[in-house]
Amino acid sequence: MQSPSNSDHHHKSITSQHPLHHLHQTPSQPCMMFVPAKVSIQRPHLLMPTFTLRRCYIQLVCAVFLVLVVLIIRMLSNVRTTFVSFHADSDTDGELVVLPEEFVQKRGALCLDGSPAGYYIRQGRGVSRKYWILHLQGGAWCSTQEECYKRSFTELGSSLRAPVSASFEGFMSSDDAINPDFHDWNMVRFLYCDGGSFLGNRSQPIKYKSREIYFRGAAVFDAIIDFLLTQADLGSAKKVILSGSSAGGLAALIHADHLRKRLQKIKSVHAVLDAMLFVNLTSRSGQKKMMNILENTFHLHHIKDSVSLSDCSQKMSDDTKWRCFSPMYFYKHMFTSAFFLNSVHDRWYLNQALDVTCDFNKCSSSEIKYISDIRTGLLETVHAILTSQKDGRYLTACPVHSVLVNNFFTQPLDGHVSPQEAIGDWYFGRNSMSSANVIPREAFPEAVSLCYKYFNDDEKTFKR
């Protein structure tokens, strides 16, 4: 028997070990190979955009959603809180209260842009919870439609633009070192958003540049008083001081007797009037600019119909009633006891009404001479205030505008008491009346030099 060859043995060995051995059962069967079919993958064709009701609906929903998001963001950025009763104590600042819409609409108490009236408040402490200072904010006037239109987009014409809190300084400070006599009283600062010293009384708005402008200052004043009486316990007050600065000082002068009549149950009602002696002197250019500002404001805002002026204007013709908007003319009809603060070199008055435009540290000799003449004219014009037995006064030579609610409140000139001491002495009857009867003796150049040391951090105080 013939033995297999080495080659056959090798062939069998490989065949038995091959993993596909079972596919080759017979030598004659051809070897088959599977190749996957070639698949052609086509990219989907996008249909051309077509207008469908469903597509329109989706786009509309998205647009509405975006608009709502924008409105919500804007609303949150301008959020204002309306308080019906006192909120939590604030140590220093006053917090904004915007009067409720329904309360405002019944009274027409609207800012220039038609937004609701408002005020800032800080609650009193301890025994002083029955004592109130109501302060009327300053900010000049708008005496033309264009001025009022521009103003309506600012916090001087809209409660929507007003910050949610306000710094209370000087006479309204909560620091007993700065304001020892009144620091713990209830403090209210009326938001000045009407442009007419809280005295406008035009029944219908004026449409200007597609915007309705409201002149409702008198209604704003009365509505805030109504709200404080009914919702903030002003009705139980024992002492009330109505104060104001600049245009707010003129407003406080004219509203003082009216407020006194409204608070008949309150025995102690006084006024503190700051930077409001806008006397009708001739400017360097030969004009009566102060008279023109007051008269134009009076007519534009229909101030003649304000009840606070009735005692002064009732026997006057419509053409002459505007004189009651002049402080010295109205003062003859004022009954409420008042304290007057003013500079005989009032920087706003010198610049805006009298055309004095020099840097106070660099005025020419002719400008200094004119300023000295103005000082003499002012003192002669306010003679009735200077000689009043029931009123106090503090006139300074410092070229400042407002005295009451800034850092000058505690600063005396050499040889004088500070405004803070003078007001306290007058109000509480302390010491002698001489401390509440300060008349400056310094000439203008000397006053600038003396006052400068009190304002090293605020040189612009002496700028025009």
Side-chain angles (χ1 to χ4, degrees):
M1 187 174 185
Q2 191 177 4
S3 64
S5 63
N6 290 338
S7 62
D8 291 339
H9 176 77
H10 178 72
H11 173 74
K12 290 180 181 180
S13 175
I14 294 175
T15 302
S16 63
Q17 295 176 11
H18 199 282
L20 297 179
H21 175 69
H22 62 282
L23 296 177
H24 303 278
Q25 297 297 324
T26 60
S28 61
Q29 185 178 0
C31 181
M32 298 183 67
M33 189 172 200
F34 293 90
V35 179
K38 184 176 181 181
V39 179
S40 177
I41 301 176
Q42 297 181 350
R43 295 181 179 179
H45 293 286
L46 298 177
L47 296 177
M48 293 296 293
T50 57
F51 177 84
T52 64
L53 184 60
R54 182 180 180 184
R55 185 187 299 274
C56 180
Y57 175 76
I58 293 174
Q59 292 176 345
L60 180 61
V61 170
C62 291
V64 171
F65 177 75
L66 289 175
V67 170
L68 288 175
V69 170
V70 171
L71 290 176
I72 291 172
I73 293 174
R74 186 171 182 179
M75 180 181 67
L76 291 176
S77 65
N78 292 282
V79 64
R80 296 291 185 271
T81 306
T82 299
F83 292 85
V84 176
S85 58
F86 272 135
H87 48 278
D89 287 344
S90 175
D91 292 337
T92 57
D93 295 344
E95 297 180 48
L96 179 65
V97 176
V98 177
L99 302 189
E101 191 72 28
E102 182 179 355
F103 190 90
V104 164
Q105 291 300 331
K106 288 180 180 179
R107 295 163 174 81
L110 305 172
C111 299
L112 287 171
D113 70 335
S115 59
Y119 60 88
Y120 294 94
I121 189 167
R122 188 185 70 235
Q123 188 175 357
R125 301 187 297 274
V127 296
S128 296
R129 285 181 177 271
K130 298 295 183 181
Y131 306 153
W132 292 74
I133 289 177
L134 309 177
H135 184 73
L136 304 184
Q137 179 184 352
W141 309 268
C142 59
S143 56
T144 68
Q145 293 184 28
E146 176 68 17
E147 289 175 352
C148 293
Y149 171 78
K150 291 179 179 179
R151 196 179 180 107
S152 70
F153 293 95
T154 72
E155 64 182 85
L156 288 173
S158 172
S159 61
L160 299 177
R161 303 284 182 174
V164 296
S165 63
S167 178
F168 283 0
E169 299 176 344
F171 188 53
M172 304 186 76
S173 173
S174 62
D175 187 340
D176 59 357
I178 296 173
N179 188 23
D181 293 317
F182 308 103
H183 68 277
D184 53 356
W185 285 36
N186 296 294
M187 298 289 179
V188 179
R189 193 182 88 184
F190 290 32
L191 179 65
Y192 183 33
C193 65
D194 67 280
S197 284
F198 298 94
L199 288 164
N201 201 27
R202 186 182 282 271
S203 59
Q204 297 297 324
I206 291 177
K207 192 167 186 178
Y208 184 79
K209 291 186 178 180
S210 301
R211 186 177 180 89
E212 290 188 334
I213 308 297
Y214 295 81
F215 302 88
R216 303 291 299 161
V220 167
F221 179 85
D222 279 333
I224 293 177
I225 296 299
D226 286 342
F227 193 80
L228 293 173
L229 285 170
T230 58
Q231 305 296 334
D233 204 32
L234 175 62
S236 65
K238 294 182 178 180
K239 297 178 181 179
V240 174
I241 296 176
L242 178 64
S243 66
S245 296
S246 191
L250 179 58
L253 169 79
I254 296 174
H255 277 306
D257 289 348
H258 172 61
L259 178 64
R260 190 183 187 90
K261 293 175 182 177
R262 295 208 56 191
L263 305 179
Q264 292 183 6
K265 295 181 180 180
I266 301 174
K267 296 181 180 180
S268 177
V269 178
H270 294 75
V272 176
L273 311 174
D274 173 36
M276 44 65 64
L277 295 179
F278 303 110
V279 299
N280 191 27
L281 301 178
T282 303
S283 71
R284 295 189 73 201
S285 59
Q287 302 178 46
K288 296 286 188 179
K289 296 183 71 172
M290 196 71 248
M291 178 191 71
N292 293 334
I293 293 173
L294 295 178
E295 185 175 4
N296 291 338
T297 302
F298 183 89
H299 292 309
L300 177 63
H301 291 254
H302 281 200
I303 292 177
K304 66 181 180 66
D305 298 322
S306 176
V307 65
S308 294
L309 270 76
S310 58
D311 289 344
C312 174
S313 63
Q314 60 184 345
K315 296 182 180 179
M316 302 173 68
S317 65
D318 285 350
D319 292 338
T320 59
K321 285 183 178 180
W322 74 267
R323 295 176 184 171
C324 291
F325 195 43
S326 174
M328 290 313 301
Y329 195 94
F330 187 87
Y331 175 70
K332 296 182 293 185
H333 301 270
M334 184 181 185
F335 173 78
T336 303
S337 180
F339 190 94
F340 293 83
L341 299 103
N342 224 92
S343 172
V344 293
H345 305 128
D346 186 305
R347 63 187 177 90
W348 182 93
Y349 179 67
L350 287 173
N351 178 237
Q352 300 296 323
L354 301 178
D355 297 325
V356 176
T357 58
C358 61
D359 184 320
F360 287 165
N361 292 296
K362 303 175 182 178
C363 292
S364 66
S365 57
S366 62
E367 288 170 321
I368 292 175
K369 172 64 167 60
Y370 175 78
I371 293 172
S372 298
D373 292 341
I374 289 300
R375 168 200 177 114
T376 301
L378 185 145
L379 291 174
E380 291 175 353
T381 305
V382 302
H383 179 73
I385 293 176
L386 300 181
T387 56
S388 170
Q389 296 298 313
K390 67 181 179 67
D391 299 324
R393 72 285 300 166
Y394 186 101
L395 301 186
T396 179
C398 277
V400 294
H401 180 45
S402 175
V403 175
L404 193 62
V405 288
N406 58 31
N407 59 350
F408 187 71
F409 181 67
T410 58
Q411 304 293 342
L413 286 186
D414 293 342
H416 298 309
V417 298
S418 67
Q420 177 270 315
E421 291 176 284
I423 294 174
D425 290 349
W426 167 78
Y427 185 78
F428 295 103
R430 297 190 302 237
N431 304 325
S432 65
M433 283 299 292
S434 60
S435 62
N437 188 30
V438 177
I439 310 298
R441 57 179 178 267
E442 300 84 8
F444 181 71
E446 181 187 2
V448 171
S449 177
L450 287 172
C451 298
Y452 184 79
K453 66 182 180 182
Y454 295 121
F455 297 96
N456 287 332
D457 296 329
D458 187 20
E459 292 186 37
K460 65 182 179 181
T461 298
F462 300 116
K463 306 292 184 182
R464 59 181 182 274

Coordinates of all heavy atoms in Angstrom, one line a residue, residues 345 350 359-363 368 371 397-400 413 442-456 459 462-463:
H345 N -26.3 136.8 46.3 CA -25.6 136.6 45.1 C -26.0 135.2 44.5 O -25.1 134.4 44.1 CB -24.1 136.6 45.3 CG -23.6 137.8 46.0 ND1 -22.8 137.8 47.1 CD2 -23.8 139.1 45.7 CE1 -22.5 139.1 47.5 NE2 -23.1 139.9 46.7
L350 N -28.4 135.1 39.0 CA -27.5 136.0 38.3 C -27.2 135.5 36.9 O -27.2 136.4 35.9 CB -26.1 136.0 39.0 CG -26.1 136.7 40.4 CD1 -24.7 136.5 41.1 CD2 -26.3 138.2 40.1
D359 N -17.1 133.5 35.4 CA -16.7 132.6 36.5 C -16.5 133.5 37.7 O -15.8 134.5 37.7 CB -15.3 132.0 36.1 CG -14.9 131.0 37.2 OD1 -15.0 131.2 38.4 OD2 -14.3 129.9 36.8
F360 N -17.2 133.1 38.8 CA -17.3 134.0 40.0 C -15.9 134.3 40.5 O -15.7 135.3 41.3 CB -18.1 133.4 41.0 CG -19.6 133.5 40.7 CD1 -20.5 132.7 41.4 CD2 -20.1 134.3 39.7 CE1 -21.9 132.7 41.1 CE2 -21.4 134.3 39.4 CZ -22.3 133.6 40.1
N361 N -14.9 133.5 40.2 CA -13.5 133.8 40.7 C -12.8 134.7 39.8 O -11.7 135.2 40.1 CB -12.7 132.5 40.8 CG -13.2 131.6 41.9 OD1 -13.2 131.9 43.1 ND2 -13.8 130.4 41.5
K362 N -13.4 135.0 38.6 CA -12.7 135.8 37.6 C -13.5 136.9 37.0 O -13.3 137.3 35.8 CB -12.1 134.9 36.5 CG -11.2 133.8 37.0 CD -10.8 132.8 35.9 CE -10.0 131.7 36.4 NZ -9.6 130.7 35.3
C363 N -14.5 137.4 37.7 CA -15.4 138.5 37.1 C -14.6 139.8 37.0 O -13.7 140.1 37.8 CB -16.6 138.7 38.1 SG -17.7 137.3 38.1
I368 N -18.4 142.9 38.7 CA -18.5 143.0 40.1 C -19.3 144.2 40.5 O -20.1 144.1 41.5 CB -17.1 143.0 40.7 CG1 -16.4 141.7 40.5 CG2 -17.2 143.3 42.2 CD1 -14.9 141.7 41.0
I371 N -23.0 143.3 40.0 CA -23.4 142.3 41.0 C -23.7 143.0 42.3 O -24.7 142.7 43.0 CB -22.4 141.2 41.2 CG1 -22.3 140.3 39.9 CG2 -22.7 140.3 42.4 CD1 -21.2 139.3 39.9
A397 N -24.0 135.7 51.7 CA -23.3 136.3 50.6 C -22.7 135.3 49.7 O -22.2 135.6 48.6 CB -22.3 137.3 51.1
C398 N -22.7 134.0 50.1 CA -22.1 132.9 49.3 C -22.9 132.8 48.0 O -24.1 132.8 48.0 CB -22.2 131.6 50.0 SG -20.8 131.3 51.2
P399 N -22.2 132.7 46.9 CA -22.8 132.6 45.6 C -23.4 131.2 45.3 O -22.9 130.5 44.4 CB -21.7 133.0 44.6 CG -20.5 132.6 45.3 CD -20.7 132.8 46.7
V400 N -24.3 130.8 46.1 CA -25.0 129.5 46.0 C -26.4 129.7 45.5 O -26.9 130.8 45.6 CB -25.0 128.7 47.3 CG1 -23.6 128.3 47.7 CG2 -25.7 129.5 48.4
L413 N -20.7 131.3 57.6 CA -19.6 132.2 57.3 C -19.0 132.7 58.6 O -19.7 132.6 59.7 CB -20.1 133.4 56.5 CG -20.4 133.1 55.0 CD1 -20.8 134.5 54.3 CD2 -19.3 132.5 54.3
E442 N -20.7 140.8 53.9 CA -19.5 140.6 53.0 C -19.8 141.1 51.6 O -20.9 140.8 51.0 CB -19.1 139.2 52.9 CG -18.7 138.6 54.3 CD -19.8 138.1 55.1 OE1 -21.0 138.1 54.6 OE2 -19.7 137.8 56.3
A443 N -18.9 141.8 50.9 CA -19.0 142.1 49.5 C -18.8 140.9 48.7 O -18.2 139.9 49.2 CB -18.0 143.2 49.2
F444 N -19.1 141.0 47.4 CA -19.1 139.8 46.5 C -17.7 139.2 46.5 O -17.6 137.9 46.7 CB -19.6 140.2 45.1 CG -19.5 139.0 44.2 CD1 -20.4 138.0 44.3 CD2 -18.6 138.9 43.2 CE1 -20.4 136.9 43.4 CE2 -18.6 137.9 42.3 CZ -19.5 136.8 42.4
P445 N -16.6 139.9 46.2 CA -15.3 139.2 46.1 C -14.9 138.6 47.4 O -14.3 137.5 47.4 CB -14.3 140.4 45.7 CG -15.2 141.4 45.1 CD -16.5 141.3 45.8
E446 N -15.1 139.3 48.5 CA -14.8 138.7 49.8 C -15.6 137.4 50.1 O -15.1 136.4 50.6 CB -15.1 139.7 50.9 CG -14.8 139.3 52.3 CD -15.2 140.2 53.4 OE1 -15.8 141.3 53.1 OE2 -15.0 139.9 54.6
A447 N -16.9 137.5 49.7 CA -17.8 136.3 49.9 C -17.3 135.1 49.1 O -17.3 134.0 49.7 CB -19.2 136.6 49.5
V448 N -16.9 135.3 47.9 CA -16.3 134.2 47.1 C -15.1 133.6 47.8 O -15.0 132.4 47.8 CB -16.0 134.7 45.7 CG1 -15.2 133.6 44.9 CG2 -17.2 135.1 44.9
S449 N -14.2 134.4 48.3 CA -13.0 133.9 48.9 C -13.3 133.2 50.2 O -12.8 132.1 50.5 CB -12.1 135.1 49.3 OG -11.0 134.7 50.0
L450 N -14.3 133.7 51.0 CA -14.6 133.1 52.3 C -15.4 131.8 52.1 O -15.1 130.8 52.8 CB -15.5 134.0 53.1 CG -14.8 135.2 53.8 CD1 -15.8 136.2 54.4 CD2 -13.8 134.8 54.8
C451 N -16.3 131.8 51.1 CA -17.1 130.6 50.9 C -16.3 129.4 50.2 O -16.7 128.3 50.4 CB -18.3 130.9 50.0 SG -19.4 132.1 50.8
Y452 N -15.3 129.8 49.5 CA -14.6 128.8 48.7 C -14.1 127.7 49.6 O -14.1 126.5 49.2 CB -13.4 129.4 48.0 CG -12.7 128.5 47.1 CD1 -13.2 128.1 45.8 CD2 -11.5 127.9 47.5 CE1 -12.5 127.3 45.0 CE2 -10.8 127.0 46.7 CZ -11.3 126.7 45.4 OH -10.6 125.8 44.6
K453 N -13.7 128.0 50.8 CA -13.1 127.0 51.7 C -14.1 125.9 52.1 O -13.8 124.8 52.5 CB -12.5 127.6 53.0 CG -13.5 128.3 53.9 CD -12.7 129.0 55.0 CE -13.7 129.7 56.0 NZ -13.0 130.4 57.1
Y454 N -15.4 126.3 52.0 CA -16.4 125.3 52.4 C -16.8 124.4 51.2 O -17.5 123.4 51.4 CB -17.7 126.1 52.8 CG -17.6 126.9 54.1 CD1 -17.8 128.2 54.1 CD2 -17.2 126.3 55.3 CE1 -17.7 129.0 55.2 CE2 -17.0 127.0 56.4 CZ -17.3 128.4 56.4 OH -17.1 129.1 57.5
F455 N -16.2 124.7 50.0 CA -16.6 124.0 48.9 C -15.4 123.5 48.1 O -15.4 123.5 46.9 CB -17.5 124.8 48.0 CG -18.8 125.2 48.6 CD1 -19.0 126.4 49.2 CD2 -19.9 124.4 48.6 CE1 -20.1 126.8 49.8 CE2 -21.1 124.7 49.2 CZ -21.2 125.9 49.8
N456 N -14.3 123.1 48.8 CA -13.1 122.7 48.1 C -13.4 121.5 47.2 O -12.7 121.3 46.2 CB -12.0 122.4 49.1 CG -11.4 123.6 49.7 OD1 -11.5 124.7 49.1 ND2 -11.0 123.5 51.0
E459 N -16.0 122.8 43.4 CA -15.7 124.2 42.9 C -16.8 124.7 42.0 O -17.0 125.8 41.8 CB -14.4 124.2 42.2 CG -13.2 124.0 43.1 CD -11.9 124.1 42.3 OE1 -11.8 125.0 41.4 OE2 -10.9 123.4 42.6
F462 N -19.4 127.6 42.4 CA -19.2 129.0 42.0 C -19.2 129.2 40.5 O -18.9 130.3 40.0 CB -17.9 129.5 42.6 CG -17.9 129.4 44.1 CD1 -17.0 128.6 44.7 CD2 -18.8 130.1 44.9 CE1 -17.0 128.5 46.1 CE2 -18.8 130.0 46.2 CZ -17.8 129.2 46.9
K463 N -19.5 128.2 39.8 CA -19.6 128.4 38.3 C -21.0 128.8 38.0 O -22.0 128.7 38.7 CB -19.3 127.1 37.6 CG -18.0 126.4 38.0 CD -16.8 127.3 37.5 CE -15.5 126.6 37.8 NZ -14.3 127.4 37.3

